[in-house]
Amino acid sequence: MTQTVLFPMVIKKWAIKFFAIGVVLICSCKLTYAQIIYQPYSFQFYQKLNDQLYFGDSNLHTAVKPYLISDSSSLRITYDSLMNLGVDTNRKSWLSRKLFNEHGFDDRNKDFTFYADYLPDLQIGKDLTGKKNTYLNTRGFQVGGTIGTKFFFYTSAYENQGTFPAYLTNYIHTIGLIPGQASEFTLGTPDWSYATSLIGFNLSKSVSLVAGVDKTFIGDGYRSLLLSDFAANYPLFRATFSLGKHVQYMAMWALLQDQSATQFPSQHAPYRKKWAAFHYIDWTITNRASLGFFNAIITADADDNGSRHPFDVNFINPILFSKSLGPSTQIPDHTLLGFNGKYKVLDKTTLYGQLLFDQETSTASSGTEYGYQLGLRGADLFKVHAFNYLLEYNTVKPYTYSSQYPLVNYTQFNETLGDPLGANFKELVGILNYSMGKFDFQGELTYAKLGLDANNISYGGDILLPSGIAPTSVPGFGTNTTLKYAEGKVAYLINPKYNLRFELGLIYRNEDGPSIISKTTWITFGLRSTFRDIYSDF
């Protein structure tokens, strides 16, 4: 490695700290039989839980992901069946059991569970349009387990090298990040590492606490306008409370960073910091309908002169907050609020949606900045079991998520905490998924209209830029650009415990506008594992 970048080191330090704390807590407690499972979020796996999450008579709180799955959860039976899909109990040799049936290391008794796996992600590919060979060489591991009925712990880390087609390479060089993962170590072939680490504690059946380095997704669709898992991991503390049978309240505090913000003279950390607080209250009105309220605040750790942000009651206010409660400061806080809802229109068809309002006030505002989502998801299409579908429309007005003070933009490093397209867009996404035994088939089509910047004028699509004088408030206005994206994947499952599989993928992407013409046809094949989401559809 020819160049040191501190971001992966910072994440590793946070991961090691939380993992060490978890070990200390675990070793200091005398507990009993344990079954709390942390399941990393990925759309590919979670949609296999559709029967329990979105259909039938269940009234589960589905929006906040990842899930903690306990013995008493109605998801447990379905989850266990997926974790044992294709497992052959007749395999006797140690190598055969570890390759096809079990975790690499797995120990379970009445006091604890512990597992560990090696996680390869090895791909070769070809960008047929750009006539470029691509590859991904990832060596990773995961360690997890539970102690008694109270604690769980999980950590994973990845060391990666790879090359990508032109559109992803341009993104990496522009943003300075591998999408959703970490900074690259070298300026040539991307070389990067990142980690996830969590410990969790259930105070009771109604209260759970989670701390570590991870992501959070809020929503019932493929995209989230409220809080998505697109950006890189961040340190967080999340508390979840069940208030009776129908209300769940989630509060989360996170430490975010900004790669682009001006550093002040006394700064020693690699990047400027900002704090974030998120609240989400979910009400399952009936077994068919639910409504959630979302609230977020982003506040700078310090202004451009290094003066620390004064105490703000909003940051510990347990329910709602508003700019009017905060002290005056050189960089005002950035607040957003929104709604998330779903309704089961049929036994196997659910209508869902989101509405986001950005309370940022600036000279760019030509009214309230907002975005909304409307989607339909279902199962057993054409009466074919395990044939799932999703159709979703998203649109976000220009300048939403951005601020006249870029440090408090709705970002983690240089990546949005909302839809990967940022703002000033209209997007239609369709996804089909079919599982047949160990085979999994998935297809995606995306069509979007983007309003890109031109002639040094910001039309509100790039949320990293300060919001200025608004020439428009209509999504798609600017340098009108069309994005067409199609992806097909076929996977064959080898080991369900850590999603080890052979996977063949084909991507077609066409971005066409007055200032850009980019076409990509990309075919990949590899041995993959883990449940992580890595997005390329933007």
Side-chain angles (χ1 to χ4, degrees):
M1 299 178 183
T2 60
Q3 180 181 0
T4 299
V5 175
L6 294 180
F7 169 58
M9 298 174 60
V10 172
I11 291 297
K12 284 183 178 179
K13 289 180 180 178
W14 277 94
I16 292 170
K17 286 180 182 178
F18 282 114
F19 185 68
I21 292 170
V23 172
V24 172
L25 289 172
I26 289 163
C27 293
S28 64
C29 298
K30 183 178 180 180
L31 299 166
T32 58
Y33 190 66
Q35 285 299 329
I36 307 168
I37 299 172
Y38 163 79
Q39 177 57 41
Y41 176 65
S42 73
F43 180 84
Q44 182 264 351
F45 180 80
Y46 271 54
Q47 59 84 32
K48 298 179 187 297
L49 302 171
N50 277 350
D51 286 348
Q52 294 295 319
L53 294 175
Y54 296 106
F55 315 125
D57 294 326
S58 67
N59 65 342
L60 296 173
H61 299 283
T62 58
V64 180
K65 305 173 178 78
Y67 294 150
L68 301 180
I69 301 174
S70 66
D71 277 344
S72 60
S73 172
S74 59
L75 294 175
R76 189 56 186 267
I77 295 177
T78 302
Y79 176 83
D80 285 345
S81 68
L82 292 171
M83 288 294 102
N84 290 285
L85 180 64
V87 168
D88 184 356
T89 56
N90 293 320
R91 299 183 190 275
K92 300 302 181 182
S93 73
W94 179 88
L95 181 61
S96 178
R97 288 187 287 108
K98 294 303 177 183
L99 183 60
F100 298 103
N101 288 7
E102 302 174 359
H103 288 290
F105 180 87
D106 199 351
D107 189 8
R108 300 173 185 271
N109 60 39
K110 65 179 182 178
D111 294 320
F112 68 89
T113 66
F114 180 87
Y115 65 88
D117 294 298
Y118 171 69
L119 303 177
D121 198 347
L122 310 172
Q123 293 184 72
I124 56 173
K126 180 77 171 184
D127 177 3
L128 301 177
T129 306
K131 298 181 180 180
K132 176 185 179 182
N133 293 324
T134 66
Y135 75 91
L136 179 64
N137 178 15
T138 295
R139 292 85 59 210
F141 73 88
Q142 68 173 4
V143 174
T146 57
I147 304 294
T149 59
K150 302 293 184 182
F151 288 99
F152 83 88
F153 59 94
Y154 177 84
T155 188
S156 64
Y158 306 90
E159 178 66 26
N160 316 264
Q161 294 87 34
T163 56
F164 306 95
Y167 83 97
L168 286 177
T169 301
N170 291 338
Y171 176 91
I172 292 168
H173 289 167
T174 301
I175 300 297
L177 286 169
I178 310 299
Q181 297 177 66
S183 302
E184 58 175 325
F185 272 110
T186 59
L187 297 177
T189 299
D191 184 336
W192 72 100
S193 61
Y194 70 102
T196 297
S197 188
L198 291 171
I199 58 172
F201 177 61
N202 278 5
L203 291 174
S204 68
K205 290 183 179 181
S206 301
V207 181
S208 66
L209 307 175
V210 175
V213 179
D214 197 13
K215 306 177 184 183
T216 301
F217 183 98
I218 297 179
D220 292 295
Y222 178 63
R223 306 289 202 196
S224 176
L225 306 185
L226 305 182
L227 180 62
S228 78
D229 63 331
F230 175 69
N233 288 2
Y234 42 84
L236 60 85
F237 174 75
R238 183 169 61 239
T240 305
F241 305 86
S242 295
L243 308 176
K245 294 182 178 180
H246 298 284
V247 178
Q248 184 184 75
Y249 167 58
M250 185 278 291
M252 184 175 74
W253 292 265
L255 175 62
L256 309 177
Q257 298 187 63
D258 192 303
Q259 287 173 291
S260 304
T262 303
Q263 295 188 356
F264 42 81
S266 61
Q267 180 178 337
H268 299 292
Y271 304 117
R272 293 276 292 279
K273 296 181 177 65
K274 52 188 176 183
W275 298 92
F278 307 92
H279 298 155
Y280 184 73
I281 303 172
D282 191 56
W283 175 31
T284 54
I285 305 168
T286 68
N287 285 354
R288 288 188 172 272
S290 70
L291 180 64
F293 175 75
F294 171 80
N295 202 199
I297 183 171
I298 310 293
T299 184
D301 179 64
D303 63 24
D304 292 342
N305 297 318
S307 300
R308 301 295 296 271
H309 191 293
F311 174 76
D312 186 346
V313 69
N314 280 325
F315 218 69
I316 61 171
N317 185 359
I319 303 296
L320 308 175
F321 36 67
S322 166
K323 283 188 173 184
S324 61
L325 297 179
S328 59
T329 178
Q330 186 188 57
I331 303 179
D333 297 339
H334 188 178
T335 60
L336 305 96
L337 60 87
F339 299 90
N340 181 82
K342 69 176 187 292
Y343 181 75
K344 301 173 187 176
V345 293
L346 298 171
D347 285 342
K348 295 188 177 182
T349 305
T350 296
L351 182 70
Y352 64 89
Q354 292 185 336
L355 183 60
L356 172 81
F357 295 100
D358 189 337
Q359 294 183 287
E360 168 72 16
T361 55
S362 72
T363 55
S365 297
S366 57
T368 302
E369 282 86 13
Y370 67 87
Y372 67 85
Q373 174 188 90
L374 186 63
L376 189 71
R377 63 185 305 162
D380 298 351
L381 185 63
F382 305 127
K383 297 184 179 181
V384 177
H385 178 65
F387 192 8
N388 301 310
Y389 65 91
L390 177 145
L391 183 63
E392 179 177 295
Y393 177 77
N394 301 291
T395 184
V396 176
K397 281 186 62 178
Y399 308 103
T400 306
Y401 302 124
S402 62
S403 168
Q404 57 184 317
Y405 303 96
L407 179 59
V408 292
N409 288 348
Y410 200 57
T411 58
Q412 155 66 344
F413 283 89
N414 282 343
E415 295 184 302
T416 175
L417 292 171
D419 191 293
L421 297 181
N424 195 2
F425 70 87
K426 302 175 182 179
E427 175 190 40
L428 184 64
V429 181
I431 298 176
L432 293 175
N433 183 279
Y434 176 55
S435 298
M436 181 178 64
K438 288 189 172 185
F439 283 96
D440 192 78
F441 305 88
Q442 181 164 302
E444 175 189 348
L445 293 175
T446 297
Y447 179 82
K449 286 287 190 179
L450 315 174
L452 302 184
D453 297 345
N455 300 321
N456 296 320
I457 298 175
S458 171
Y459 288 94
D462 186 350
I463 68 174
L464 295 174
L465 298 177
S467 52
I469 302 299
T472 179
S473 61
V474 180
F477 189 86
T479 302
N480 196 297
T481 301
T482 300
L483 174 64
K484 300 174 184 176
Y485 182 93
E487 180 177 10
K489 290 188 291 188
V490 180
Y492 179 79
L493 187 65
I494 301 171
N495 190 322
K497 295 297 190 293
Y498 50 100
N499 204 21
L500 182 67
R501 64 200 187 275
F502 288 114
E503 185 176 282
L504 175 66
L506 177 63
I507 289 174
Y508 172 78
R509 182 182 182 274
N510 185 356
E511 187 175 5
D512 191 0
S515 60
I516 183 172
I517 297 177
S518 172
K519 294 183 180 181
T520 301
T521 303
W522 185 25
I523 187 169
T524 59
F525 176 76
L527 177 67
R528 312 199 65 185
S529 65
T530 82
F531 297 97
R532 59 181 180 163
D533 260 340
I534 300 178
Y535 293 96
S536 56
D537 52 347
F538 57 90

